[in-house]
Each structure stands twice: as C-alpha cells, then as structure tokens.
Amino acid sequence: MNDCIFCKIINGDVPSYKVYEDEFVYSFLDLSQTTLGHTLLIPKKHVKDVFEYDEKLAEAVFGRVPLVANALKQALPDLQGLNIINNNGELAGQSVFHSHIHFIPRYTNSDTFTLKFTDNSSHYQPERLAKLAEEIKNEI
C-alpha cells in the first residue's frame, strides 16, 4: 500500500527503531512512547484490521506476542506490568489502518497511560447473554 506509514516502515522508506523482524512480522518502538518501551508489532502483509486476518496470518502475528512481551520484560528491569492492545476500527481507537498490536509497559500506578473498563454489570441479563453466546458460537 503506497500511502501506509507502516508499509513504508517495513520497506525501509521511513526509519524506525526496529526490535524484531521475520518473514511475517515487523516490530518497532512507537514514536509516541506512551510509556518507555511502547512497542508495536505489525504484520508485513497489509491488512487493515483483525477482521482481514486469515488463520495463517493470525498464527504468525499473535504467535509472536510472547516473544515481544518477554523481550520487553527482560530489557526493562523496572517493568511491573504490560498492556497488550489491538484496536480494530476507528470507533475502537484505531488511528493507523494497518493492523498493529501495542505493547505498553507499566511501571507504576501513576503512569500517564490510563486504561479503564467500565463496570456495566448492572446490565447483566442471563437470558440475553445466553442467546448472544449461542449466536457467537453458531458463527464459529
């Protein structure tokens, strides 16, 4: 893809701080550095989001997650935790439309990056959840 910044990084047209590369993936430090060590893992094949993955690509990309995570753990002795995030679609926070996985190291409770899930358990309806689970299961 000609105008994709991540494709340009993979091709060497745009410089990056590469941490890993093989025939399927490319991993590099995110220039935004939400926290020190913020790393991205991207497929070399241009796909917009996880909905465009096939099984082989998913195995290649997601199979490298422990490799990158453990490298960060070893390289960053103060690391206390790690957020691994994959946004799919603009509404989900995706801003670069070449699939990518964020690795965001956590050091203290006061890191500037905040990820908060809202407790919507008051909306818990066993019948609706049972029906939804069945609908999803039928699609698999």
Side-chain angles (χ1 to χ4, degrees):
M1 182 134 221
N2 292 338
D3 61 342
C4 172
I5 187 68
F6 288 171
C7 288
K8 290 178 181 179
I9 288 171
I10 292 165
N11 293 331
D13 300 329
V14 172
S16 68
Y17 297 98
K18 178 172 57 173
V19 299
Y20 179 76
E21 179 179 18
D22 64 25
E23 63 182 298
F24 299 107
V25 301
Y26 190 94
S27 185
F28 57 100
L29 295 178
D30 190 316
L31 291 181
S32 72
Q33 287 297 287
T34 301
T35 62
L36 181 65
H38 181 173
T39 302
L40 299 177
L41 175 67
I42 63 176
K44 285 187 167 178
K45 176 183 179 184
H46 181 88
V47 291
K48 181 175 75 172
D49 54 32
V50 74
F51 302 112
E52 293 186 359
Y53 281 54
D54 59 24
E55 188 173 337
K56 182 179 177 181
L57 183 61
E59 287 174 1
V61 176
F62 290 98
R64 288 358 181 243
V65 167
L67 178 76
V68 175
N70 285 307
L72 287 167
K73 184 178 179 183
Q74 295 303 312
L76 301 166
D78 294 335
L79 184 140
Q80 299 296 310
L82 181 67
N83 290 106
I84 300 173
I85 302 169
N86 174 239
N87 302 322
N88 296 280
E90 189 173 351
L91 186 62
Q94 185 177 8
S95 59
V96 176
F97 294 94
H98 180 127
S99 183
H100 55 287
I101 300 170
H102 293 264
F103 295 78
I104 303 173
R106 303 307 298 266
Y107 301 99
T108 68
N109 286 336
S110 62
D111 288 340
T112 57
F113 173 75
T114 302
L115 178 66
K116 184 172 189 220
F117 293 95
T118 304
D119 180 0
N120 287 320
S121 59
S122 62
H123 300 288
Y124 172 71
Q125 299 170 356
E127 300 81 20
R128 175 62 186 126
L129 294 181
K131 183 177 184 238
L132 179 58
E134 195 63 32
E135 290 169 359
I136 295 169
K137 184 171 47 172
N138 290 337
E139 294 299 327
I140 293 178

